[in-house]
Amino acid sequence: MEVKGTAIINIPLFIKDRFGEGGVNQWIDALTPEARKVYPASVLVSSWYPLKELLIEPLRKMCGLFYAGDLKGARESGRFSADYSLKGIYKILVKLGSPESMLDRAGTIMGLYYNPSEIKVVERRKGQGIMQISNFPDMDRALEIRIVGWMERALEISGGKQPDIKVTQSLTAGDPLSEFIATWK
């Protein structure tokens, strides 16, 4: 399974924003030798990288170092990632859109970040949507929580107020898919 550089380039940026340059250095020192070859300077936004080694493990390492293992850090990182991408290189995807139109683009957006992946919007109406990820061989709970944060912030950027994302099924719990129920005002 692979992840696009766009999804990982912002992890050291997030850590620097929250914990300073010293935090970035501490995090890099804790990474595997393979990850240290890529972070932070060698990440190319258009390249594909191994998901586990360059997103999941570094994300878990960040949560361990700065959040006492709490996956709240993964959620905050996901929110930061949405800001980075949807206000930057992918801003065309949300320009003049609504939360509902953001959901309509969910499959396209997911495919820009993860390969292979499949996300379907199985229900969409004003103020609510249900999304399911069914093809994601290496799902990890930290990554799932990061996706929750990303979705939450993406809904805000597209005009949704007080978004709430609930994970009702999870690939990490042995379910056949991960299901996210999103509500907003």
Side-chain angles (χ1 to χ4, degrees):
M1 176 121 201
E2 297 177 308
V3 61
K4 192 78 165 232
T6 309
I8 65 173
I9 198 168
N10 56 58
I11 296 173
L13 299 174
F14 169 75
I15 294 169
K16 183 177 181 181
D17 182 70
R18 298 298 195 282
F19 306 103
E21 194 66 44
V24 173
N25 292 334
Q26 182 183 3
W27 173 72
I28 289 172
D29 288 345
L31 295 176
T32 64
E34 295 80 24
R36 280 196 306 269
K37 289 177 189 171
V38 174
Y39 280 113
S42 298
V43 175
L44 303 173
V45 294
S46 61
S47 293
W48 289 95
Y49 297 92
L51 177 78
K52 185 178 179 190
E53 293 82 0
L54 290 173
L55 177 59
I56 293 171
E57 290 172 1
L59 187 61
R60 285 196 166 272
K61 190 62 69 179
M62 178 199 72
C63 289
L65 287 171
F66 305 114
Y67 294 90
D70 191 334
L71 296 182
K72 172 186 172 188
R75 183 175 165 269
E76 290 179 8
S77 171
R79 291 180 58 83
F80 186 91
S81 177
D83 271 325
Y84 178 84
S85 61
L86 297 176
K87 290 183 175 181
I89 60 175
Y90 296 133
K91 69 182 170 186
I92 191 72
L93 295 173
V94 292
K95 192 172 180 148
L96 304 173
S98 66
E100 292 82 11
S101 65
M102 171 61 76
L103 288 179
D104 289 341
R105 294 182 185 98
T108 301
I109 293 170
M110 194 69 149
L112 294 172
Y113 286 92
Y114 305 103
N115 184 39
S117 66
E118 183 179 332
I119 186 168
K120 291 188 285 187
V121 177
V122 295
E123 183 179 317
R124 180 183 74 81
R125 60 179 182 241
K126 188 150 181 71
Q128 182 179 5
I130 300 174
M131 295 148 291
Q132 295 176 339
I133 298 174
S134 57
N135 179 20
F136 207 107
D138 294 329
M139 184 60 79
D140 179 85
R141 186 67 179 153
L143 177 54
E144 200 170 60
I145 297 299
R146 186 174 197 252
I147 291 169
V148 166
W150 193 97
M151 289 178 172
E152 187 179 76
R153 185 65 184 129
L155 288 169
E156 290 172 349
I157 291 168
S158 62
K161 306 286 187 236
Q162 299 174 332
D164 183 47
I165 314 288
K166 301 238 184 302
V167 180
T168 57
Q169 295 183 64
S170 174
L171 288 164
T172 66
D175 294 322
L177 52 86
S178 289
E179 181 174 76
F180 303 84
I181 297 180
T183 57
W184 63 90
K185 297 179 184 204

